[in-house]
Amino acid sequence: MKEVHCIISLGSNTDASHHLQQAYNLLVRAYPNITFSPIKETEPIGMHHNHSPFYNRVARFTTDQDADEVRAALKVMERFCGRRPDDKEHETIHIDIDLLAHGDTIIKPMDFAQYQHDIENL
């Protein structure tokens, strides 16, 4: 497969600086050409009990992996950084790393649109 650009988002509302740094370290090793947006603090959306702010950023890299391989790699990184299956249920997000776009395919259109300005500045 030829190299394609990927756009990912990262977010955390629990010891966020630590978890984003952990994810950064893993991502740089896996995708050495990765570039990151600055970290933004945002208000939680849809959280009923945990009102801690989120720290978010996006990143861009190229890879010859297909979308499923990238998603699988990101899920391994999430688990390594402390992500648990019940995080969303408990509104405690140690780290969330989502593949927004793979090549010309936008996988998460709403999230991609939310981060459009940050993506354009990568």
Side-chain angles (χ1 to χ4, degrees):
M1 176 179 205
K2 69 175 188 166
E3 294 240 323
V4 296
H5 286 280
C6 292
I7 304 292
I8 61 171
S9 64
L10 298 89
S12 175
N13 73 347
T14 304
D15 197 8
S17 294
H18 171 74
H19 289 114
L20 286 175
Q21 184 63 48
Q22 268 189 312
Y24 172 91
N25 294 340
L26 293 170
L27 286 160
V28 166
R29 278 190 229 128
Y31 306 106
N33 62 5
I34 194 166
T35 57
F36 292 87
S37 71
I39 296 172
K40 285 186 170 178
E41 183 177 313
T42 61
E43 293 298 315
I45 297 172
M47 300 283 181
H48 302 290
H49 306 292
N50 186 347
H51 300 288
S52 298
F54 272 83
Y55 285 46
N56 300 288
R57 71 187 328 183
V58 292
R60 176 194 314 262
F61 59 89
T62 57
T63 183
D64 61 357
Q65 295 175 316
D66 66 33
D68 289 336
E69 290 171 313
V70 173
R71 275 194 291 261
L74 299 178
K75 294 306 163 199
V76 168
M77 291 179 204
E78 284 181 338
R79 286 191 299 277
F80 186 85
C81 292
R83 179 76 187 248
R84 299 181 194 121
D86 60 352
D87 274 0
K88 285 188 180 178
E89 179 183 325
H90 291 107
E91 298 182 354
T92 301
I93 309 302
H94 293 83
I95 192 72
D96 185 29
I97 309 173
D98 290 324
L99 179 61
L100 303 184
H102 183 272
D104 293 332
T105 304
I106 297 176
I107 295 167
K108 294 193 164 215
M110 291 181 66
D111 292 343
F112 189 90
Q114 175 185 345
Y115 291 110
Q116 187 68 43
H117 177 74
D118 296 314
I119 292 166
E120 289 171 0
N121 292 314
L122 282 174

